[in-house]
Amino acid sequence: MKNKLILPIIVAVLISCKTDKTEENMQEEEKTENVFLTEWKGEYNGVPAFDKMELSQLKPAIQKAMENHLEEIDRIANLESEPTFENTIVAMEKAGKDLDRVFTYYGIYSSNISSEEFREIQQELAPEISNYRSQISQNEKLFQRIKSVYDKSQEEKLSPQQQRVIELVYKNFEMDGANLNEEDKKRYAEIEKQLSELYTQFSSNVLADEEGYVTFFSEEEAEGLPESYLKSAKVAAKENGGEKMYAVTNTRSSMDPFLTYADNRELRKEVWQKYYARGNNGDEYDNNKIIKKILKLRDERVALMGYENYAQWRLQDRMAKNPENAIDLMMKVWPAALARVEEEVSEMETLAKNEGENITIEPWDYRYYMEKVRQEKYDLDSEEVKQYLELNNLRKAIFYVAGELFNYEFNPVAEGSVPVFHEDVKVWEVKDKDSGELVGLWYLDPYARKGKRSGAWATTYRSRTALNGNQPVLASNNSNFVEPAAGEPTLVSWDDAETFFHEFGHALHFLSADVKYPTLNGGVRDYTEFQSQLLERWLSTDVVINKFLKHYKTGEPMPAELVAKIKKASTFNQGFATTEYLASALMDMKFHTTDPAEITDIQEFEKKQLDALGMPKELPMRHRSTQFGHVFSGEGYATGYYGYLWADVLTSDAAEAFAEAPGGFYDKETAHKLKRFLFAPRNAVDPAEAYRQFRGRDANIDALMRDRGFPVK
């Protein structure tokens, strides 16, 4: 209390007032309390109050939390005592807890339950968030304290995790322009603010085009489509006002199976064009001009720090280190991928001709005829495979793998005991099988819906660090499976099943963290995909196939003949898969190693670069520029999309370590090394060194080429 000299009678009155407060008043106070700023309550050291979210409270909560964090930062920056690791770095690591909580809710609104109202708030907040970040990264007093601790650490080393933290923190500030003069810092902050607004606008435009385009079709036009797809398409049509029709929504999960099975070629073309035209329709949601602005601003920003291009600046703290190394890896694989596409197209056109269709394969034909070739060449029907890939069984499979490799067990929490933001979301407890110690919670949000961004991803609502008391991890997986009609099972493709395992790999990475400081829970972009890509390999292990890939009606395990066909066809379609991905990754590099002044037209530049690379006309890049959210809705993957391939080199090499082990993919010693060296350290150890600790050597590209059925030199 500010005034401690209070007369006893006044104190008595105050106590009386407090005691006499009615339950109604207390409830009223609870209503006015901002849920986003409130510390998490309940079991598991507290969980997000997803059931009490009110969008109207979000903006003021973020503004207040940013204000609080800046006050904490200012106190650290203005300390009169000599800078030390404890009073500077540790103090920074402990700051901003309420902002972390608020951004958890913000992420849910952004990714899982977006709306026009939220997107307006997001647009308004973007420059404010950018300004807040600039106030930290450009705080001269703070940086000088960090620099002092860093300089001392170069002479007298700290403990390994302390040393890693100070080097990462110092590097982040340096890359964010902390060494610039005042005038350049001001311009840097202005650029950051403009970019944040453009990123938000870009992603909002893509989402608008995904929500705004639907292709309706009749029963007469449904030839070739499997019954399971049609049931979902009927539900989609009803939700979009198309009674007695079917509908393809403008998302990958809806588009992909349609292009694979629909016999109607004109309808396939229409669906394909709508999907790949997202952000490129010449209307209010067009992203071409936004991309040009982003490229120009990114280039100007890094030029302030003396870099030749954005890619050079971005990759210095990645495994690749520079764009030349990243491009070199991609170009080692590119020719083999192109050669395989040529073979695949030839096979498809021959098959079409034999069926009496004298056509040239177009992009909207590739998946359709590819599936026909798969059935003819390997007698493998993707729709037959799906009957054994039921979502609940796949979930049990990933739990089994986590138990065998990481010693985790998963048990569902009681319905309603942990708040969720949508009825689709389910929650499980994660515990160590031997000790019973709680590791964390795992949330699953499986289905596509309006307001949810497309694709699949993993995130954490709370990470574990020793500095914060090793609280239970709150990890989440999010998918966009098409929700089946009532009473029907969720059957997915083999590719979707692999993606499910992939994203669960990220969750295991979060759950396995054994680090002291929050900064070490971050990741290196061309390394963090490695752990999740590796987990995909367990889908095709014999034990998973025999135990969990069961027919959704009969419960019978997948027949040995079908398993043999799947394994035999494992390198099928690698031309398409590798080329569409690499085209996007190479374009990412082209955009960020070219002077933006030379890019006058985005579509023309894209076409010119792809032509120069020899891009086959029969397929598009996986993400056309105007919908390339990895690269243009933020900076996480900008010049980093190549990272999936870099990580895949590690993945293929590490998979061979398991294949060569006495116990195969369930070898206990190799699994122990996997968790100890590759999952638990997160970013506490340099990725290259971590991999050497696991494998005993660096990875090489040969295993990757073998995996894809490409020639090994």
Side-chain angles (χ1 to χ4, degrees), residues 252-422:
R252 180 174 288 275
S253 60
S254 184
M255 171 277 297
D256 203 50
F258 185 86
L259 295 185
T260 301
Y261 297 108
D263 291 340
N264 190 314
R265 194 180 188 212
E266 282 304 308
L267 208 54
R268 290 203 309 269
K269 180 179 179 180
E270 181 182 347
V271 169
W272 184 92
Q273 288 177 330
K274 284 179 182 177
Y275 183 78
Y276 285 100
R278 290 171 301 151
N280 188 35
N281 289 300
D283 56 12
E284 60 183 310
Y285 303 118
D286 194 278
N287 276 330
N288 283 286
K289 289 180 181 178
I290 291 175
I291 294 173
K292 286 175 66 175
K293 290 176 183 176
I294 288 173
L295 293 173
K296 183 176 180 296
L297 288 169
R298 283 177 175 172
D299 194 67
E300 181 186 353
R301 186 183 58 183
V302 301
L304 291 172
M305 295 178 284
Y307 294 94
E308 291 179 15
N309 56 57
Y310 179 84
Q312 188 185 76
W313 169 80
R314 179 71 279 173
L315 296 188
Q316 61 186 295
D317 63 345
R318 305 288 171 87
M319 287 190 79
K321 302 303 181 189
N322 57 61
E324 290 77 21
N325 288 341
I327 292 169
D328 179 62
L329 172 63
M330 290 189 281
M331 293 310 295
K332 284 178 178 174
V333 180
W334 182 250
L338 293 185
R340 182 58 57 82
V341 167
E342 193 173 337
E343 294 172 9
E344 290 173 1
V345 169
S346 176
E347 288 179 328
M348 289 189 285
E349 289 186 341
T350 299
L351 183 145
K353 192 173 183 180
N354 291 340
E355 291 185 344
E357 297 284 345
N358 190 18
I359 64 166
T360 300
I361 296 296
E362 298 286 354
W364 45 89
D365 298 319
Y366 210 115
R367 291 171 177 82
Y368 179 76
Y369 282 102
M370 173 186 70
E371 179 60 24
K372 284 178 171 286
V373 170
R374 188 203 310 269
Q375 291 183 30
E376 181 183 80
K377 193 171 184 179
Y378 301 99
D379 191 23
L380 182 61
D381 182 353
S382 294
E383 189 59 25
E384 181 188 0
V385 175
K386 285 178 70 174
Q387 312 307 304
Y388 296 90
L389 298 174
E390 194 272 324
L391 186 59
N392 284 321
N393 285 336
L394 289 171
R395 176 180 51 75
K396 292 173 186 175
I398 60 177
F399 288 173
Y400 173 81
V401 171
E404 293 299 300
L405 300 184
F406 295 84
N407 209 42
Y408 294 155
E409 66 176 5
F410 291 72
N411 293 298
V413 302
E415 196 81 23
S417 63
V418 172
V420 294
F421 51 83
H422 191 277

Side-chain angles (χ1 to χ4, degrees), residues 477-673:
N477 278 141
N478 309 269
S479 304
N480 266 283
F481 299 118
V482 177
E483 188 166 10
E488 296 292 328
T490 303
L491 303 178
V492 307
S493 69
W494 186 267
D495 284 347
D496 282 342
E498 284 187 328
T499 300
F500 193 54
F501 270 68
H502 174 107
E503 296 303 335
F504 187 67
H506 283 304
L508 286 176
H509 204 179
F510 302 145
L511 291 162
S512 303
D514 183 14
V515 299
K516 186 169 184 180
Y517 305 103
T519 290
L520 300 180
N521 253 316
V524 178
R525 184 62 69 185
D526 50 7
Y527 178 66
T528 52
E529 291 298 333
F530 154 53
Q531 288 85 348
S532 51
Q533 287 179 188
L534 182 60
L535 203 78
E536 295 175 27
R537 302 306 178 98
W538 273 264
L539 173 63
S540 57
T541 58
D542 290 341
V543 64
V544 165
I545 290 171
N546 294 329
K547 274 178 169 286
F548 303 102
L549 305 194
K550 298 181 178 181
H551 196 282
Y552 80 98
K553 284 184 178 177
T554 66
E556 291 295 314
M558 185 179 282
E561 319 86 76
L562 185 56
V563 173
K565 291 175 186 178
I566 292 171
K567 292 187 175 183
K568 185 180 178 183
S570 62
T571 60
F572 178 72
N573 196 38
Q574 277 301 321
F576 176 87
T578 306
T579 302
E580 65 151 9
Y581 157 72
L582 277 180
S584 289
L586 286 164
M587 276 305 305
D588 178 22
M589 284 296 175
K590 296 289 185 182
F591 274 125
H592 293 102
T593 54
T594 302
D595 183 348
E598 297 177 14
I599 306 175
T600 56
D601 183 289
I602 296 299
Q603 297 305 308
E604 184 182 309
F605 180 76
E606 181 185 292
K607 184 178 185 305
K608 181 179 178 182
Q609 296 301 322
L610 292 176
D611 286 347
L613 286 167
M615 180 71 179
K617 64 178 179 58
E618 293 88 357
L619 71 162
M621 49 197 284
R622 181 175 297 173
H623 304 286
R624 295 287 305 280
S625 305
T626 55
Q627 60 215 228
F628 206 170
H630 287 77
V631 172
F632 295 118
S633 65
E635 300 201 27
Y637 281 93
T639 70
Y641 198 63
Y642 78 91
Y644 287 97
L645 183 67
W646 194 280
D648 222 2
V649 170
L650 302 175
T651 298
S652 296
D653 194 68
E656 289 195 350
F658 274 98
E660 295 161 1
F665 276 81
Y666 295 90
D667 186 79
K668 293 301 181 185
E669 183 181 346
T670 312
H672 174 71
K673 288 167 64 179

Side-chain angles (χ1 to χ4, degrees), residues 418-430:
V418 172
V420 294
F421 51 83
H422 191 277
E423 61 184 7
D424 288 346
V425 181
K426 307 301 177 190
V427 189
W428 285 261
E429 277 186 354
V430 188

Side-chain angles (χ1 to χ4, degrees), residues 182 207 219 248 466 507 535:
E182 287 307 310
L207 187 56
E219 192 162 344
V248 188
L535 203 78

Side-chain angles (χ1 to χ4, degrees), residues 149-161:
V149 177
Y150 173 77
D151 289 343
K152 289 175 191 172
S153 75
Q154 300 307 294
E155 298 170 8
E156 189 174 332
K157 296 292 182 184
L158 300 166
S159 70
Q161 289 208 18

Side-chain angles (χ1 to χ4, degrees), residues 430-480:
V430 188
K431 290 184 177 180
D432 182 271
K433 286 200 294 186
D434 294 333
S435 68
E437 179 187 354
L438 179 69
V439 177
L441 295 179
W442 182 69
Y443 296 68
L444 175 64
D445 182 14
Y447 299 120
R449 60 176 171 269
K450 187 174 182 179
K452 186 177 181 182
R453 72 178 174 90
S454 61
W457 67 96
T459 189
T460 44
Y461 306 141
R462 182 174 63 215
S463 300
R464 180 174 58 233
T465 62
L467 189 67
N468 293 321
N470 281 326
Q471 293 180 301
V473 175
L474 304 179
S476 172
N477 278 141
N478 309 269
S479 304
N480 266 283

